[in-house]
Amino acid sequence: MALILRTFVRQGVLLSRPQCGVLYRHAAPMGTTAKEEMNKFWDKNAKLNRPVSPHLTIYKWSVPMAMSITHRGTGLGLSGAISAFAVAALVLPESYPYYLDLIRSLSVGPYLIGLAKFGIVFPVSYHTYNGIRHLLWDIGKGFKIPEVYRSGYTVIGLSIITTVALLSL
Amino acid sequence: MAAVVRLNFACRRGLKPLFLRSTLLARPLLVSHKCQEHPYQLTTRINALHVDSVSKAASRHWTAERALSVLLLAMGPVAYFNHGPIVDFSLAAALTLHGHWGVGQALTDYVHGDAKVKIAKTGLFLLSTITFSGLCYFNYNDIGICKAIALLWGK
């Protein structure tokens, strides 16, 4: 009994999945963090110039997989756009209404403005709805595979509906 | 349970090698019984004894990210109905921080090696600082975020 407690109470040997019947009788104390372990992995394998096995190029794409990277893509894209807007605000001499009127006066004006509206509305809608989906996962809801697909299609559907609705205003 | 049945079977047969086997079978039964008693107690003791400060900070960061996301969600409808400097500056702060933390997660996933991570995180910090400054400048010297978006749809 004491032996079990002593071995399990070592630093780092945390029971994330209590496995019955497996006794770590002589577990060495672990002094490294997950971050250190990951760095060691990358350092060693990069130094040895080991090739990485094909993964993205060969694995069959699924809807949840595609939606996940799209969530990241829209997030990065929106962040970039906000930063670009902020830099423009600092650098450009005139005011926003001035430039908006300038674009409206161009022949391609309406198309550019329509493009800007779409470029804002679709990524924001998708990222927001999928963000809610993520937050639901964070409180533990909706992990069953059929639920994942159902919530996924709901997000896609809502994004399209919101985009069409706001762009037709 | 299965071990007990096997023991009975062995006893009925009465063979010598099985006597040795029965002691081996007895042990797993003992171990699993102990595990059934103790895993919860063990994990609570471990949590109480040693939670690394790094993992505590990481855990708090995770929670803060979700709290900010919820806050940003709530700001949407507020911004739609109330244009004004308070909403504009709150939106600037929340959007910049949410973006900063989000890009930070992507960096953690894709950038490896101490030096590269440091360079990337420094670059991100600079970018976020410039972004927040630019948005605040826009809110102060120009029409503000809410009005700017509204103007795209023509006031």
Side-chain angles (χ1 to χ4, degrees):
Chain A
M1 233 291 280
L3 193 70
I4 299 171
L5 280 174
R6 215 193 311 140
T7 52
F8 279 119
V9 156
R10 297 256 186 184
Q11 183 191 31
V13 184
L14 297 170
L15 277 180
S16 55
R17 296 172 286 121
Q19 288 184 14
C20 295
V22 183
L23 282 174
Y24 294 96
R25 285 181 160 247
H26 301 289
M30 286 167 61
T32 54
T33 61
K35 208 193 244 186
E36 289 162 7
E37 293 287 328
M38 287 192 284
N39 283 340
K40 273 164 63 182
F41 172 86
W42 283 108
D43 286 341
K44 180 174 93 168
N45 287 291
K47 198 187 295 178
L48 290 167
N49 252 319
R50 283 186 176 155
V52 177
S53 306
H55 47 305
L56 291 172
T57 46
I58 57 165
Y59 202 83
K60 180 173 178 174
W61 280 92
S62 63
V63 171
M65 205 168 142
M67 288 191 69
S68 178
I69 192 62
T70 308
H71 187 79
R72 181 161 270 185
T74 51
L76 292 174
L78 285 167
S79 260
I82 291 173
S83 293
F85 177 80
V87 168
L90 287 169
V91 162
L92 294 174
E94 301 292 340
S95 72
Y96 179 86
Y98 173 87
Y99 289 114
L100 195 56
D101 287 333
L102 183 68
I103 294 172
R104 283 213 176 100
S105 66
L106 300 172
S107 58
V108 288
Y111 297 106
L112 284 175
I113 297 196
L115 198 68
K117 280 156 86 173
F118 178 81
I120 294 173
V121 173
F122 183 72
V124 170
S125 305
Y126 180 88
H127 193 84
T128 304
Y129 292 129
N130 202 223
I132 296 171
R133 187 166 166 242
H134 262 287
L135 288 171
L136 287 170
W137 285 332
D138 287 337
I139 57 172
K141 292 187 168 297
F143 275 111
K144 294 205 189 87
I145 294 297
E147 291 170 335
V148 168
Y149 276 84
R150 213 179 306 141
S151 62
Y153 291 133
T154 307
V155 163
I156 294 173
L158 282 174
S159 301
I160 295 174
I161 291 169
T162 306
T163 307
V164 168
L166 288 181
L167 251 52
S168 63
L169 274 177
Chain B
M1 262 314 118
V4 176
V5 172
R6 287 280 285 283
L7 272 169
N8 289 340
F9 181 73
C11 289
R12 249 186 279 133
R13 280 287 194 94
L15 289 170
K16 235 196 181 169
L18 284 171
F19 175 74
L20 294 163
R21 245 200 277 162
S22 67
T23 52
L24 289 169
L25 283 168
R27 270 246 248 79
L29 185 66
L30 242 167
V31 170
S32 61
H33 182 62
K34 278 204 170 110
C35 280
Q36 276 158 33
E37 270 187 318
H38 290 296
Y40 177 69
Q41 292 163 307
L42 278 169
T43 47
T44 49
R45 279 192 64 156
I46 287 165
N47 285 337
L49 270 166
H50 181 82
V51 182
D52 179 31
S53 68
V54 170
S55 71
K56 252 196 211 152
S59 187
R60 289 202 190 112
H61 179 82
W62 185 92
T63 310
E65 282 179 333
R66 317 297 128 157
L68 180 64
S69 300
V70 172
L71 188 69
L72 199 50
L73 266 175
M75 270 194 226
V78 173
Y80 180 78
F81 291 110
N82 299 316
H83 295 185
I86 298 177
V87 177
D88 279 336
F89 283 98
S90 308
L91 216 50
L95 277 173
T96 315
L97 190 56
H98 182 73
H100 179 76
W101 281 346
V103 176
Q105 292 291 351
L107 281 181
T108 307
D109 282 347
Y110 302 140
V111 178
H112 305 289
D114 287 330
K116 281 191 227 162
V117 166
K118 205 168 192 128
I119 295 169
K121 285 268 161 98
T122 310
L124 174 63
F125 191 82
L126 281 168
L127 183 65
S128 295
T129 308
I130 295 172
T131 304
F132 185 60
S133 317
L135 288 177
C136 287
Y137 179 86
F138 185 79
N139 284 334
Y140 192 79
N141 293 307
D142 213 316
I143 54 174
I145 298 176
C146 296
K147 289 238 155 57
I149 298 175
L151 266 186
L152 276 181
W153 273 264
K155 271 145 199 107

